[in-house]
Amino acid sequence: MSATLPPGATRLVHQGSFGVYVAAWQPGGEQVVLSETRGEDGADLSLLDLKTGQVRSLIKPATPSANEDVVFTADGRGFYLVTNVDRDFRAIAHYDLATGKLKIVEQAAHELNQLSLSKDGRWMAWTSNEDGFAVPHVRDLKTGQLLKTPDLPRGVVSIAFADSAPVALVNIVAPDAVAEPRVWNLVTGAVTRPVRTSWAGLDPARMARPETVRFKGRDGTPLSGLLYRPAPAANGAKPPLVLLLHGGPSSQARPGWSASTQYLVARGMAVLDFNYRGSTGFGKAFAMANDRRERPKELGDIEDAVAHVRAAGLVDPDKAAVMGGSYGGYLTNAAIGTYPDLFDAGVSLVGVMNWVSALEGAFPALKASDRVEYGDIDDPSDRAFFASISPINNIKRIRTPLVVVHGANDPRDPTTESDALVQGVRANGVDVLYLRFADEGHRVSKVANQVHMWNAIGDFLSARFGLTP
């Protein structure tokens, strides 16, 4: 069976279940590396022969592991990839198709990401994830030399090689650099700036850049976040805190461009983009530290984060809000019920209130992933556990004024989750602003809706904090 097809024709070569994707195509050949999703941030790799249709398993470790950024060598005999199989931090490895041997070729005391290879196979590029900041690296595979990294704006970067020239395009996204490209000549080391991004009237110099804060949780777990602070007040007053909880939970606070964060800072608030346990970017062990029965420990991290920045004198010791979307929305809902006196306000975006109904209502692909990250909702023991940690249990304890946001077409968390939150908190006599968008899903994406939502959130928080509109 040949892989060659006449123009416009199609042929089914493989059918998987749920999350199966093409990771890389062998150059000049008829073999394809397939990636099959396994949990929130893991993937198994296999090899599909397009001639025979046969699939051979390549990497399928006992513990779900990341295997990503697959790129074939120029000769097609193997490929490079980013992996954390049998290790804590992601590293760069080479897989030999003939021997099945996986060999680490680059590693560091940080996670390595964003692997790319030049078309001729001479240059290899990757980034190291250092507290969320992406530091670029390039090695000349012909000489073995690691190139000196040029002086670039600090933020989140990606690297792409030219097809037939020894140059790389480095794209930088940072709080004060939105999609700022640089061209790096790998031979001379020269860096040029081909174009300048339009800020449409905004002044990038006024954008807040974050500082990394690090501390230990109550059980000694190292925690961190990126703290954005407004310009110092004339009277020396410290800014109120907005504790931002990302979704996922397989995600990370990274210093890219965030219009919402900059908006809140411009209104006089400090924003701590927080990496609670379970966040990615700090190794496999940390990413798995909130799996299954370990999940309640995240709530202690939230209280510890507020205590740390207050004790360090970075924010107003008496004014704080918590805000999060999706999984971060769940944590927001859980935090205001667990610590009813800790926050002056909350912003819950598409958050879970009842884990049993939320996990039951997820579509099939998500259910398969959920069994790895959370547990099996059909197992009586897991079901009882998730019922026990659902925020709905503490609904009568909530007295934190809230903004609640949900899209009516959300396929991940049904609107009934936010409906239950709003009804329960209003029954407590607490002020709730409910923004329920009929034309949105799991995210608010339409510009008009975003403007309306963030103006409402900004006004709500400003009123609670006593800030001038």
Side-chain angles (χ1 to χ4, degrees):
M1 180 169 58
S2 173
T4 304
L5 294 174
T10 60
R11 176 171 59 87
L12 179 65
V13 294
H14 178 71
Q15 184 168 332
S17 57
F18 304 130
V20 177
Y21 307 93
V22 173
W25 194 300
Q26 185 182 45
E30 295 181 330
Q31 296 190 98
V32 173
V33 176
L34 301 179
S35 172
E36 183 170 4
T37 301
R38 190 171 167 200
E40 289 278 338
D41 59 347
D44 299 330
L45 299 184
S46 57
L47 190 70
L48 168 64
D49 189 312
L50 296 175
K51 280 187 175 181
T52 65
Q54 293 183 340
V55 177
R56 173 164 63 101
S57 178
L58 300 179
I59 303 176
K60 190 175 182 179
T63 300
S65 302
N67 293 287
E68 57 200 21
D69 296 347
V70 178
V71 55
F72 267 99
T73 56
D75 60 15
R77 297 177 180 176
F79 54 84
Y80 292 100
L81 74 158
V82 173
T83 182
N84 60 7
V85 172
D86 297 328
R87 56 187 302 110
D88 193 25
F89 291 125
R90 283 170 165 84
I92 311 298
H94 176 266
Y95 186 91
D96 187 296
L97 288 175
T99 65
K101 184 178 180 180
L102 183 70
K103 179 183 178 182
I104 300 296
V105 297
E106 300 285 352
Q107 57 186 318
H110 306 281
E111 296 265 52
L112 303 185
N113 304 101
Q114 297 181 301
L115 171 68
S116 58
L117 196 67
S118 63
K119 193 172 183 179
D120 62 3
R122 176 174 177 178
W123 311 95
M124 176 188 288
W126 68 93
T127 62
S128 55
N129 185 334
E130 302 178 18
D131 289 326
F133 291 85
V135 178
H137 307 274
V138 173
R139 187 178 295 281
D140 184 340
L141 297 181
K142 182 178 180 180
T143 66
Q145 180 185 8
L146 184 66
L147 276 59
K148 181 181 179 181
T149 302
D151 186 18
L152 298 168
R154 297 185 71 230
V156 181
V157 305
S158 59
I159 306 173
F161 292 105
D163 284 345
S164 57
V167 298
L169 180 68
V170 183
N171 192 52
I172 304 157
V173 180
D176 55 356
V178 180
E180 292 279 0
R182 302 289 193 278
V183 176
W184 179 6
N185 188 308
L186 304 174
V187 175
T188 68
V191 175
T192 57
R193 189 175 183 177
V195 296
R196 291 184 179 271
T197 302
S198 170
W199 278 79
L202 296 176
D203 181 3
R206 297 182 61 186
M207 300 299 116
R209 290 194 60 85
E211 57 190 285
T212 302
V213 295
R214 302 182 187 88
F215 58 98
K216 289 187 177 180
R218 59 193 62 189
D219 61 355
T221 298
L223 302 169
S224 68
L226 298 177
L227 180 65
Y228 299 78
R229 289 193 286 174
N235 62 1
K238 301 293 184 181
L241 170 69
V242 176
L243 183 68
L244 180 60
L245 306 173
H246 62 69
S250 300
S251 186
Q252 183 187 12
R254 307 211 65 181
W257 164 251
S258 171
S260 56
T261 294
Q262 296 295 338
Y263 171 69
L264 294 177
V265 172
R267 295 195 64 157
M269 307 170 208
V271 177
L272 177 59
D273 197 354
F274 180 45
N275 294 304
Y276 51 89
R277 71 187 70 202
S279 301
T280 53
F282 303 95
K284 186 192 296 185
F286 189 81
M288 297 175 66
N290 70 340
D291 283 2
R292 297 176 177 261
R293 296 297 195 271
E294 302 300 310
R295 203 154 297 278
K297 293 180 180 179
E298 303 159 324
L299 293 173
D301 295 346
I302 290 171
E303 187 180 35
D304 293 343
V306 176
H308 172 77
V309 292
R310 283 177 168 175
L314 300 173
V315 298
D316 188 318
D318 299 315
K319 297 178 181 179
V322 61
M323 176 170 66
S326 191
Y327 192 86
Y330 151 68
L331 285 176
T332 296
N333 299 342
I336 57 178
T338 304
Y339 307 115
D341 299 316
L342 184 58
F343 297 105
D344 302 282
V347 181
S348 173
L349 301 95
V350 297
V352 167
M353 281 299 288
N354 185 332
W355 273 114
V356 174
S357 59
L359 292 173
E360 280 184 336
F363 58 88
L366 280 171
K367 281 187 175 181
S369 173
D370 289 346
R371 279 193 287 271
V372 176
E373 170 74 26
Y374 302 106
D376 188 349
I377 195 62
D378 295 324
D379 178 89
S381 177
D382 284 350
R383 189 182 187 90
F385 170 71
F386 278 100
S388 71
I389 67 168
S390 293
I392 195 70
N393 296 329
N394 288 329
I395 192 70
K396 293 186 182 300
R397 287 168 49 86
I398 297 176
R399 46 181 177 265
T400 305
L402 289 175
V403 178
V404 179
V405 180
H406 217 121
N409 304 310
D410 189 344
R412 179 46 161 155
D413 297 322
T415 54
T416 50
E417 297 295 312
S418 287
D419 291 347
L421 172 63
V422 171
Q423 292 167 7
V425 176
R426 283 178 176 168
N428 296 341
V430 177
D431 185 21
V432 180
L433 173 63
Y434 192 9
L435 303 177
R436 195 173 191 270
F437 294 97
D439 56 347
E440 298 286 5
H442 196 56
R443 292 180 177 86
V444 176
S445 57
K446 294 181 173 62
V447 173
N449 291 340
Q450 287 185 348
V451 171
H452 174 70
M453 177 181 73
W454 286 110
N455 277 334
I457 291 172
D459 290 345
F460 191 91
L461 294 177
S462 293
R464 297 296 160 187
F465 290 147
L467 298 174
T468 303

